[in-house]
Amino acid sequence: MTEEEKQESAFSRFGRSFKELLYGMAGHDMTRYALKTRGSMEHLFILITMGDLLGVPILPPYYSLRLLPYVVPQISTWKRRMLRERDLTDALA
Amino acid sequence: MLAQNFRANPNRRYIEFGGKGGLGKTTFSAATAYWLAQQGYKVLVFSVDPQASLSDIFERDIFGKGPVEIIPNLFAQEIDADQRIKAYQDEIRYKILDMYGMDTVPEEIEHYIQAAAAEPAMEESAIFDAVVDIVVGGDYDYYIYDLVPLGHALYYLSMASIYNEWIEKITKLREEMQEYAQVAAILERKKQTEEDQILAELQYIRQRISTSSGILTDRERTAFFFVVTPEDMIIRDTVKAAALFAKYQVPICGYIVNRVIPPELAQQNIPEYLRNRIAMQERYLKQIDATFGKDVLACVPEFERDITGIEMIAKVAQALYGGEA
């Protein structure tokens, strides 16, 4: 490796670390917030479309069945979330 | 009159007969299909009635067998809702297994699939969906929809508008969710999130619903005829129903009077009973004339026997459309 290349890689390493630092300071929380909001909405959405799993029929079943394959992975976590006890740590997450 | 109505509006390719149960909707649907097929049009007459009246009138079991050619150019189809629901459930199961590489559908999900099919609304929407398939297919020159009794027909149309609004709402929610996901993706410098399949699915459902209800309420392409008989109660109900239909923008093209006892019988020596019936009908025919006036497009006599088989259907077609083909 030549001196030049070493220097460049040190530069780009520094640049990358700086970017990540900046993201950590400014962006990470926002990202987490955005994803968390989307997660809540996801559950709200499943409640609306698949509500009859909890005994709340809303969308006509013929069409809610069409959506079922996409929400299979979420169904177990969603039911857990719907039926979970709430406590103080929810506000901090 | 009725034949003229068809000729004057060549773009109306969806023909519907409505009215109370037992007035002759199926008979007129079959006769109209016969008349159009005789002129060389490719016609599909279809029904969603679980009582399978088309099978009866054509004297062939066509229930759940898809479109069946009765005579050249005339196809008839009766939708079997149960069969359709079963096939649909299997499709959903297969999709789940395929998407997640599973061997069996998880118990909870299976339970849901079965429970959903047991709901009363399931049959209605399965039928609705089957009708969408038929009308968007475009394989025929004419589609004749033998509607189930009034209440059901209204239910379909109202269902379409409710579905439409509802799906619009959840589609909005879904779009908003996508925005949040994209914000996160941009902040984390990931590539664009993959297209939201649920959103695509919702848009597909919505498009199907609005297409079908759009066709059934499109004045340019659809003709809706009400069947009435010269009886007090039927006339009253029809007036009410027509007002309701107008509210749902159903394009009512006119009225057809059925079951008229041939008045020339009165010249013959007939029992008092029949004479009274004729007099009563005359009164109500006047009332029909006063109520619907020039919208009455045809008067069909009471025939001497049941309308079953092609020969009798041809007779009804003659009464409806006259000798002109």
Side-chain angles (χ1 to χ4, degrees), chain A residues 5-38:
Chain A
E5 276 174 339
K6 262 191 203 167
Q7 223 175 9
E8 197 183 357
S9 65
F11 252 132
S12 66
R13 261 211 313 277
F14 174 73
R16 204 174 47 242
S17 324
F18 182 70
K19 265 189 203 155
E20 279 169 12
L21 178 74
L22 208 59
Y23 167 76
M25 284 167 69
H28 182 64
D29 259 358
M30 279 162 72
T31 309
R32 229 182 40 157
Y33 173 74
L35 287 173
K36 199 181 156 195
T37 309
R38 191 181 181 287

Side-chain angles (χ1 to χ4, degrees), chain A residues 2-3 6 12 18 22 30 34-35 41 52 57 64 72 75-76 79-80 91:
Chain A
T2 63
E3 197 60 32
K6 262 191 203 167
S12 66
F18 182 70
L22 208 59
M30 279 162 72
L35 287 173
M41 288 171 97
D52 30 1
S64 68
V72 165
I75 279 184
S76 51
K79 283 186 94 166
R80 227 188 359 256

Side-chain angles (χ1 to χ4, degrees), chain A residues 23 27 30-31 33-35 37-38 41-42 44-45 48-50 52-53 57-73 75-76 79, chain B residues 84 88 92 95-96 99-100 102 108-109 112-113 116 119 122 125-126 128-129 163 166 170 173-174 176-177 180-181 184 187-188 197-198 201-202 204-205 209:
Chain A
Y23 167 76
M30 279 162 72
T31 309
Y33 173 74
L35 287 173
T37 309
R38 191 181 181 287
M41 288 171 97
E42 181 85 55
L44 176 62
F45 179 82
I48 294 173
T49 50
M50 298 281 148
D52 30 1
L53 274 170
I58 308 179
L59 188 71
Y62 190 86
Y63 292 113
S64 68
L65 272 185
R66 272 197 85 90
L67 302 177
L68 183 66
Y70 303 102
V71 297
V72 165
I75 279 184
S76 51
K79 283 186 94 166
Chain B
R84 197 177 162 91
Y88 178 60
I92 302 290
K95 196 163 182 177
I96 291 172
M99 268 170 79
Y100 302 104
M102 299 170 174
E108 193 178 10
I109 307 288
Y112 178 84
I113 292 175
E119 292 196 35
M122 189 68 176
S125 23
F128 184 93
D129 205 66
Y163 272 14
W166 171 233
I170 41 186
L173 171 70
R174 202 73 211 176
E176 222 172 293
M177 283 165 66
Y180 275 102
L187 283 166
E188 287 186 320
Q197 282 176 302
I198 293 185
E201 200 66 73
L202 283 173
Y204 166 83
I205 294 169
I209 291 170

